[in-house]
Amino acid sequence: APAIGAERAAKQVRKLTGNSAATAQDEDDENEPEATQSEAMQLQSLQLEAIGGLSMVTARNTFLLIGVTADAFAQKAYQADRVQSITKAVIRQLDAVSGQLERLRESDLGDANERFIDQILDVYARLKKQASALQKFVTQPNEKSRRHFEQARQAALAALDQLTGESSADEAAEPPASKSAVNPAAGRAK
């Protein structure tokens, strides 16, 4: 059975727009039934797979962005106001994507898909806490805010590892100087 694809979409566009350049193939296809329930389910499955993959990439890249931003602050490449700007944008973007995923979750996707979306939303919430902790640290660089950032970073990393099936626990336990962690000796994030 032909999959829903470019040819069918092009035929539909021509039909809806009244384009007279219909092909002979369009005439033959008129007798074909519309997408079957199986094709529709397959399409939904592919869409959900893409959404899941993109959500995981977004989570990983956001974690890296927060870390690179902390590193730039530690190296005095970024001032506090630049870090604030970046982390505010990160939080806004995560809020927007989280809202979209929450609406998707409400569309009766089945228990497994809903649990996966909940897991993504949990990672996003932890990333927002990490970004907020970095915001606080750059305005109040002290031991308490350093510990808070490091705890938020560890929690985000653990949730991200669980989502992706990776394990960075050993690497994250004692980050070397080149990793993103707040270092009170430097007075910045290292």
Side-chain angles (χ1 to χ4, degrees), residues 6-16 26 29-30:
E7 290 177 22
R8 186 173 284 176
K11 179 183 119 186
Q12 192 65 11
V13 168
R14 285 191 299 272
K15 188 187 247 183
L16 291 172
D26 289 348
D29 288 347
E30 300 260 335

Side-chain angles (χ1 to χ4, degrees), residues 62-89:
T62 300
F63 180 80
L64 294 172
L65 175 60
I66 296 167
V68 167
T69 303
D71 290 343
F73 182 72
Q75 299 301 314
K76 300 182 182 177
Y78 284 171
Q79 296 298 316
D81 59 343
R82 180 71 175 138
V83 174
Q84 293 286 347
S85 174
I86 291 169
T87 53
K88 285 178 186 176

Side-chain angles (χ1 to χ4, degrees), residues 40-162:
M41 288 174 55
Q42 184 179 18
L43 179 61
Q44 181 187 34
S45 177
L46 291 172
Q47 291 168 335
L48 290 173
E49 186 176 329
I51 291 167
L54 291 168
S55 295
M56 289 172 57
V57 167
T58 297
R60 174 63 69 193
N61 288 343
T62 300
F63 180 80
L64 294 172
L65 175 60
I66 296 167
V68 167
T69 303
D71 290 343
F73 182 72
Q75 299 301 314
K76 300 182 182 177
Y78 284 171
Q79 296 298 316
D81 59 343
R82 180 71 175 138
V83 174
Q84 293 286 347
S85 174
I86 291 169
T87 53
K88 285 178 186 176
V90 164
I91 291 168
R92 276 193 314 270
Q93 292 166 0
L94 288 172
D95 282 339
V97 174
S98 294
Q100 292 168 334
L101 287 172
E102 287 168 354
R103 287 190 300 279
L104 179 63
R105 182 184 59 205
E106 294 169 4
S107 67
D108 192 28
L109 301 172
D111 290 343
N113 289 320
E114 290 171 7
R115 281 192 303 274
F116 184 71
I117 290 174
D118 286 342
Q119 193 175 7
I120 292 168
L121 291 170
D122 178 60
V123 171
Y124 287 0
R126 291 171 190 258
L127 288 168
K128 288 190 292 187
K129 286 179 183 176
Q130 182 187 9
S132 294
L134 181 56
Q135 285 179 329
K136 184 170 184 176
F137 177 75
V138 301
T139 59
Q140 299 173 358
N142 57 45
E143 181 60 23
K144 182 179 178 181
S145 61
R146 183 203 68 79
R147 276 195 316 271
H148 183 69
F149 172 74
E150 184 58 25
Q151 289 168 348
R153 187 185 77 81
Q154 291 288 336
L157 181 60
L160 185 58
D161 284 349
Q162 186 177 1

